[in-house]
Amino acid sequence: MLAKRQLPYTGAMTRGSRRRAWRNLKLGIAVAMVAASLAILWLTGLASLRLTLAEVQTRAEANLAVQAAVLERLLDKFRLLSPLLARGPETGRLVSGLDIALDRTITSVAAGMSGAEEVWLMDPLGRVIVTSQHGVPFGAIGGGAAISEAFEQARQGQLGRQLIPGNPQSAASYVFASPLRNGESLIGILAVRVSLEDVEQAWALSKDPILALDGDDRVVVTNVPGWRGKFVSDLDFGRDIARLSGLSRLSLMLPSSGGANNHMQLTAALPVLGWTVKTLVSVDEARQQSAWAMVAALLGCVIAAGGLWIILLRREEFSRQIRRDRAAALRLERRVRSRTAELRKANELLEEEVREREQAETSLRLAQAELVQAAKLATLGRMSAALSHEYNQPLAAIRSDAEVAEMLIERGRAEEAKANLTRIGGMVARMAEIAKTLKGFTRKSGTDIRPVSMRKVIDETLLLLQPQIKQSAVEVIAELPGTDIIVKGGQIRLEQVMINLLSNALDAVGGRERPQVALMLRREGKDAVLRIRDNGSGIDEEVMPQIFDPFFTTKDVGAGLGLGLSIAYKIVHDFSGSLQAANRDGGGAEFTMRLPIADKQMLAAE
Ligand code: ADP
């Protein structure tokens, strides 16, 4: 039961489930495309970030190495200046108070030539003896108390070093101090102060912040004046860098956990000084580049996914079209099949009909032939009275001529009897001629078309109708051409047409004062034209359209069957000719028969 009920829906279900499966597939592909796009985006972002970061790092490392070297070289240069100056003879003299005139000159020249910020000399107690700073009584820095660390180291015979921290307004300085000795006794301390501003100026060319930190993590040298002298713990690198480089806008594009994450710190150690040099490189640019790479990847993914989607839709449409085409083809095939069956049936019916028609035509032709024969016999019937008269008259003449001849022979006048016998012979010959023509006419006519002599047709017709013509005392005028005309037709059938037409004309002129029937044969182009005119009553205009109809007659019962003209019409048309009736202007009727003249081919075939 269940199976039976489900069967009719199988097609619909298949179609529905196919559509559902296709929809699921599309959903799956869409999800896969989104997932693939996300993965591609993530990978692109990661890879490009790594690459650009590596590049930034390499660049920053190189920069850091260069900038650290600048600081190191500067300090290195001045490191030996103070011991060198301390050992100079002029310096010894100066401290011994021998050559006070040289005081300022020595320090000034030393400072000027070396590029040091300040060169000054102190006594062992730390008081300033002489300084390169003009107009400053105790120097810019002051005596040994200001550089206590370096002073102490120098006093102990070492190279004293001390950093003089800077502040946001002024750069830091570095002091080298060397002892001045006279023999074993310390006679003074020579200090050289180097401004680290030159380094900062060199570093200022770098776009990334660079800072040198001392052992306490205090900013000693930097290209960011605001940081100078501060401790690293007090600084917020992220915020400061953002403010400095104006990159805050870009850093917003990539979310970061905090300001510190927006830069990369690279450190180089300066072991001699116990310092470290750091550079802070903003990674915002790298992030921005990776963001652009992700945007490009997203664009690529969107385009690829769009293209894929379009291909998918096209495929779907294509397969739908194929299904539609297949269904249409099936429908068409079914229709063609049913139409073919219908056509075959129609064809069979048609064949059947053709067979029936052919049969009907055959029986019609037979009936027509019978009719023609009947009409012929009817004509003969009408002609029989005149014919019997035609025979009786010569018979009576023959009898009397024979009697006369007998009598003359009995009387021994055989010579005279000869003329009678000759006349008898003539009359018998004429009767035999009439009988022969009659016999031919009554024979059943064939159906073939052959060359026929019009002259012969006219002669035989006139012979057959001669008794009637004589009886009715009609003047028959025949206008015939000098040469015979051969037409396409049948001898007996044409004679029948002519007998019908002439009989009608003879009937029509009956009772006229000077009855006349004219018969004219002529060649007109490729036709033979025979006109039969009479001076009878003519044809009534009302009956004109019907005279060729079978059984139409205006004659009395027994006088006419109404078949003569219809048979004549049919025969002439069978010979590809035409038959027309008209009334003459001067009264009477005129029948015109046209027949095609036999061509040379037909004559040659005969
Ligand atoms: P039927 O002679 O037996 O009447 P036909 O078919 O020969 O039959 O002729 C049909 C009719 O056509 C005749 O009854 C007659 O009225 C008319 N008709 C034929 N020939 C002539 C003619 N020459 N003059 C006048 N009427 C004619």
Side-chain angles (χ1 to χ4, degrees), residues 382 500-509 517 532-540 543-544 546-556 558-568 581-583 588-591:
R382 286 174 59 203
N500 287 343
L501 295 178
L502 276 174
S503 301
N504 280 343
L506 292 176
D507 287 346
V509 295
V517 172
I532 296 171
R533 290 181 185 159
D534 62 62
N535 58 354
S537 52
I539 306 159
D540 277 352
V543 303
M544 188 66 99
Q546 301 166 38
I547 53 165
F548 290 107
D549 291 350
F551 304 108
F552 173 81
T553 179
T554 54
K555 293 172 190 166
D556 297 336
L561 273 177
L563 281 175
L565 281 184
S566 73
I567 285 172
N583 280 318
E590 177 179 302
F591 284 81

Side-chain angles (χ1 to χ4, degrees), residues 46-59:
L46 202 69
S48 73
L49 192 64
R50 283 216 176 141
L51 274 173
T52 44
L53 278 180
E55 198 183 311
V56 163
Q57 189 173 352
T58 312
R59 187 165 44 80

Side-chain angles (χ1 to χ4, degrees), residues 100-129:
I100 294 297
L102 288 172
D103 58 355
R104 288 198 193 285
T105 322
I106 289 171
T107 49
S108 302
V109 167
M113 283 181 71
S114 65
E117 189 69 18
E118 188 181 359
V119 176
W120 75 105
L121 199 61
M122 292 165 284
D123 63 12
L125 295 174
R127 286 177 307 223
V128 176
I129 301 171

Side-chain angles (χ1 to χ4, degrees), residues 209-499:
I210 306 172
L211 56 160
L213 305 173
D214 64 5
D216 302 329
D217 270 355
R218 187 173 41 192
V219 179
V220 182
V221 191
T222 178
N223 54 358
V224 184
W227 292 353
R228 220 181 274 139
K230 290 190 177 164
F231 286 95
V232 169
S233 51
D234 298 337
L235 293 175
D236 183 346
F237 286 146
R239 189 199 62 219
D240 289 351
I241 292 169
R243 204 179 55 231
L244 284 167
S245 58
L247 288 176
S248 58
R249 181 172 47 84
L250 296 172
S251 66
L252 285 175
M253 292 177 70
L254 280 174
S256 59
S257 55
N261 278 353
N262 283 348
H263 61 260
M264 185 197 287
Q265 276 191 32
L266 295 173
T267 308
L270 294 178
V272 183
L273 293 165
W275 292 0
T276 50
V277 182
K278 276 185 196 294
T279 183
L280 299 169
V281 186
S282 168
V283 295
D284 282 342
E285 209 171 330
R287 284 208 175 119
Q288 189 198 14
Q289 274 188 23
S290 115
W292 283 123
M294 280 169 83
V295 168
L298 180 70
L299 219 70
C301 282
V302 166
I303 291 171
L308 208 67
W309 197 251
I310 288 171
I311 289 171
L312 214 69
L313 291 182
R314 285 239 174 108
R315 246 188 82 86
E316 187 190 4
E317 180 54 35
F318 183 63
S319 61
R320 208 178 293 150
Q321 185 63 38
I322 283 181
R323 275 202 301 279
R324 269 203 298 268
D325 286 355
R326 209 177 295 148
L330 269 173
R331 270 200 303 277
L332 194 72
E333 205 175 302
R334 229 174 288 142
R335 267 184 58 191
V336 166
R337 225 179 290 138
S338 81
R339 283 289 295 161
T340 311
E342 277 171 27
L343 278 175
R344 201 177 298 126
K345 209 186 272 176
N347 209 18
E348 279 167 10
L349 281 174
L350 219 64
E351 275 174 13
E352 180 68 20
E353 205 171 310
V354 167
R355 257 198 307 280
E356 280 174 12
R357 287 243 167 124
E358 276 172 357
Q359 248 169 17
E361 210 176 282
T362 316
S363 34
L364 188 72
R365 214 173 294 131
L366 274 172
Q368 265 178 2
E370 293 297 327
L371 207 61
V372 169
Q373 192 61 15
K376 228 162 26 178
L377 295 177
T379 314
L380 271 180
R382 286 174 59 203
M383 285 159 61
S384 61
L387 273 173
S388 66
H389 178 74
E390 185 70 10
Y391 275 102
N392 284 338
Q393 216 185 12
L395 277 176
I398 286 169
R399 189 185 295 131
S400 69
D401 270 345
E403 281 170 4
V404 171
E406 197 180 8
M407 218 165 62
L408 285 172
I409 290 166
E410 276 172 7
R411 288 179 194 166
R413 288 158 61 189
E415 267 315 301
E416 283 172 58
K418 216 174 168 183
N420 289 69
L421 288 174
T422 309
R423 212 164 44 243
I424 288 170
M427 278 186 284
V428 167
R430 182 171 161 71
M431 284 169 72
E433 180 72 14
I434 291 172
K436 194 179 124 204
T437 309
L438 258 178
K439 196 176 158 204
F441 181 65
T442 49
R443 213 176 54 222
K444 265 201 176 167
S445 46
T447 50
D448 51 340
I449 295 170
R450 355 182 11 190
V452 175
S453 153
M454 279 306 280
R455 172 71 63 84
K456 197 172 174 200
V457 170
I458 292 168
D459 282 350
E460 294 205 347
T461 308
L462 289 176
L463 183 70
L464 284 173
L465 285 177
Q466 198 55 42
Q468 243 175 300
I469 294 166
K470 253 198 256 168
Q471 226 173 30
S472 52
V474 176
E475 185 189 0
V476 175
I477 305 155
E479 282 179 28
L480 302 177
T483 50
D484 192 8
I485 302 176
I486 311 294
V487 296
K488 294 187 210 171
Q491 163 95 26
I492 298 167
R493 281 169 289 172
L494 278 180
E495 279 176 20
Q496 186 175 356
V497 172
M498 283 225 27
I499 287 173

Side-chain angles (χ1 to χ4, degrees), residues 5-56:
R5 265 184 24 212
Q6 278 174 358
L7 257 176
Y9 298 102
T10 312
M13 278 173 69
T14 313
R15 246 200 319 277
S17 62
R18 200 193 298 139
R19 209 171 292 154
R20 227 177 358 262
W22 179 245
R23 222 182 7 244
N24 288 346
L25 181 70
K26 270 205 300 196
L27 195 72
I29 290 173
V31 169
M33 279 197 307
V34 169
S37 299
L38 286 176
I40 289 170
L41 280 185
W42 183 71
L43 283 173
T44 311
L46 202 69
S48 73
L49 192 64
R50 283 216 176 141
L51 274 173
T52 44
L53 278 180
E55 198 183 311
V56 163

Side-chain angles (χ1 to χ4, degrees), residues 69-86 107-120 132 159-162 172-178 190-199 272-273 275:
V70 167
L71 175 63
E72 220 167 15
R73 259 206 312 275
L74 181 87
L75 294 177
D76 218 29
K77 180 179 143 193
F78 287 100
R79 187 167 57 92
L80 297 174
L81 184 64
S82 66
L84 215 68
L85 283 171
T107 49
S108 302
V109 167
M113 283 181 71
S114 65
E117 189 69 18
E118 188 181 359
V119 176
W120 75 105
S132 61
L159 176 65
R161 299 159 183 248
Q162 189 174 345
S173 301
Y174 201 82
V175 174
F176 290 102
S178 292
L190 186 116
V192 174
R193 185 165 64 89
V194 183
S195 171
L196 296 178
E197 198 177 340
D198 287 351
V199 178
V272 183
L273 293 165
W275 292 0

